Amino acid sequence: MASLQKAQYNQLQNHYWRIANKRLILPVILFALLAAPSTREITVAVLSDAFWQVAAYVAATLTIYHIIANKMSQKSKLKTLLNSNSRYQVIFAALMGALPGCGGAIVVITQYVRGQLSFGAVVAVLTATMGDAAFLLLATEPSTGLLMMVIGCCVGLISGWIVDATHGSDFMRPEVKPKQNTVATQHEKITSPTVLKLQGQFWKWVLAPAIVIAIMGSLQIDIDQAFKLSAGTIDIIGTIAVIMALLLWATSRDITDYESAVSEDPKLASSHMYQRIAQDTNFVTSWVIGAFLIFELTIFWTGVDLQGLFSNWALLIPLMGVMIGLLPGCGPQIIVTSLYLSGAIPMSAQIGNAISNDGDALFPAIALAPKAALIATLYSTLPAIVAAYGYFFLFE
């Protein structure tokens, strides 16, 4: 009897392991690609570039962001702004949405449900936000990233004012205030604090040398020659470093549903700044690696020129960016930004996606006010189509 119970327990444990470690699929695929001689060179190049050209800059951008946020004493200033004249609610929401990441948008959604912000503010913030894809764009093309923030803020501002003038501030507001901590509590229970600490320690010690090497690479300095290393050594170091980061990311949280797969990891209240930086950096990097590998391996295995293929469907590409923006979560949006950075899709598609996507903010919006979330998402799609095709016909 005892042996039977033990066997059942082991079976349950094995079943739980398979479900709880779905993120390990990515590192396993990477190891397989590195082991195969035909794909090793491509994979090393992608992983090295992902670490030195993306992860290092994203981590540095996040560090600056968190330092500024901590200095600003957000809670007291936020309260003052929310209690100010209602005419400025849409302006406040558009500015919050323009901030990189999804935190500002989630704050606005919560305050709308509590009756402190208008429905126009919800439309403004969902239109302005670009989610975690903003960190990627700011890290790799700062001028383009800032341009996207300005465009999103302006379009969100106009959209929010029009919506409030049309529907009024209380449009679609839910009557009953739902419990807001249930989802966060569930996510916290399935997050490994030990691995979170290791992620934080990893980026705490790696960030400074990584950003130095990243800047040297951006200045077209031969890193191997500068440090008197064998040719290709810095690529191998970058590959090892990014795999370590991905292994920590893969074992830090369970994947239980679509949201946990495509959205950034929830932050524990006790998390140190570097833990938060590591969580978002590793999340962005994992999706960037996936996008870059799909792009490079498709060309390698099929010989298809994706950039040329997309150009044959040029008129539909901006619409594609807008439609992908309707998907909740930051993961799909990071793929679009990665394709833009690789030159596969044009700026018009990036603009359409940046305006239409709601990032992770759509998840709490659906949970707290599903009807309002649906209408606000549809309203943010219209200016995204106008802006994307306006740019397409004027400049492309």
Side-chain angles (χ1 to χ4, degrees), residues 62-98:
L62 280 164
T63 301
I64 296 170
Y65 174 81
H66 282 290
I67 290 173
I68 293 174
N70 291 338
K71 296 284 186 184
M72 286 179 66
S73 180
Q74 289 180 337
K75 288 186 178 178
S76 59
K77 292 193 175 185
L78 181 61
K79 242 181 204 180
T80 303
L81 284 170
L82 291 179
N83 292 331
S84 65
N85 195 307
S86 60
R87 292 180 302 173
Y88 302 108
Q89 291 181 2
V90 172
I91 299 176
F92 168 75
L95 291 173
M96 290 293 283

Side-chain angles (χ1 to χ4, degrees), residues 275-321:
Q275 293 175 23
R276 296 168 182 266
I277 292 168
Q279 284 179 277
D280 290 344
T281 299
N282 293 343
F283 167 73
V284 171
T285 305
S286 66
W287 280 90
V288 168
I289 288 172
F292 282 177
L293 278 177
I294 291 172
F295 180 76
E296 295 293 341
L297 292 176
T298 298
I299 295 173
F300 175 72
W301 282 328
T302 67
V304 173
D305 181 3
L306 290 180
Q307 188 173 358
L309 180 65
F310 286 146
S311 66
N312 294 330
W313 298 87
L315 190 62
L316 294 178
I317 297 303
L319 183 62
M320 178 202 75

Side-chain angles (χ1 to χ4, degrees), residues 113-332:
V113 173
R114 291 176 179 173
Q116 297 180 6
L117 289 177
S118 68
F119 181 71
V122 174
V123 174
V125 78
L126 293 183
T127 302
T129 191
M130 192 179 167
D132 288 347
F135 288 118
L136 172 60
L137 201 55
L138 285 169
T140 48
E141 289 188 10
S143 58
T144 306
L146 290 172
L147 177 63
M148 288 296 102
M149 291 170 65
V150 172
I151 291 175
C153 185
C154 293
V155 174
L157 193 63
I158 295 170
S159 302
W161 277 337
I162 292 174
V163 167
D164 269 353
T166 305
H167 295 296
S169 60
D170 290 324
F171 182 68
M172 300 296 294
R173 195 188 307 279
E175 296 180 2
V176 180
K177 177 184 171 184
K179 293 182 180 179
Q180 298 173 26
N181 295 326
T182 305
V183 176
T185 302
Q186 289 175 348
H187 286 322
E188 287 183 5
K189 287 181 179 178
I190 58 172
T191 304
S192 170
T194 302
V195 180
L196 290 183
K197 290 180 181 178
L198 289 175
Q199 283 193 85
Q201 288 297 316
F202 174 85
W203 277 107
K204 180 179 180 179
W205 294 107
V206 166
L207 178 57
I211 196 61
V212 169
I213 293 175
I215 292 172
M216 291 175 67
S218 298
L219 296 175
Q220 304 302 313
I221 297 173
D222 188 325
I223 311 297
D224 292 324
Q225 187 175 3
F227 291 101
K228 297 181 180 179
L229 302 172
S230 301
T233 301
I234 202 66
D235 289 339
I236 294 173
I237 293 173
T239 299
I240 294 172
V242 82
I243 287 179
M244 289 176 62
L246 288 180
L247 285 172
L248 290 171
W249 166 82
T251 53
S252 65
R253 184 188 179 198
D254 305 345
I255 290 183
T256 57
D257 51 23
Y258 174 79
E259 179 182 353
S260 60
V262 301
S263 60
E264 64 184 32
D265 290 353
K267 311 301 188 296
L268 299 176
S270 58
S271 293
H272 188 271
M273 182 183 76
Y274 282 105
Q275 293 175 23
R276 296 168 182 266
I277 292 168
Q279 284 179 277
D280 290 344
T281 299
N282 293 343
F283 167 73
V284 171
T285 305
S286 66
W287 280 90
V288 168
I289 288 172
F292 282 177
L293 278 177
I294 291 172
F295 180 76
E296 295 293 341
L297 292 176
T298 298
I299 295 173
F300 175 72
W301 282 328
T302 67
V304 173
D305 181 3
L306 290 180
Q307 188 173 358
L309 180 65
F310 286 146
S311 66
N312 294 330
W313 298 87
L315 190 62
L316 294 178
I317 297 303
L319 183 62
M320 178 202 75
V322 173
M323 291 298 102
I324 293 176
L326 296 177
L327 297 174
C330 293

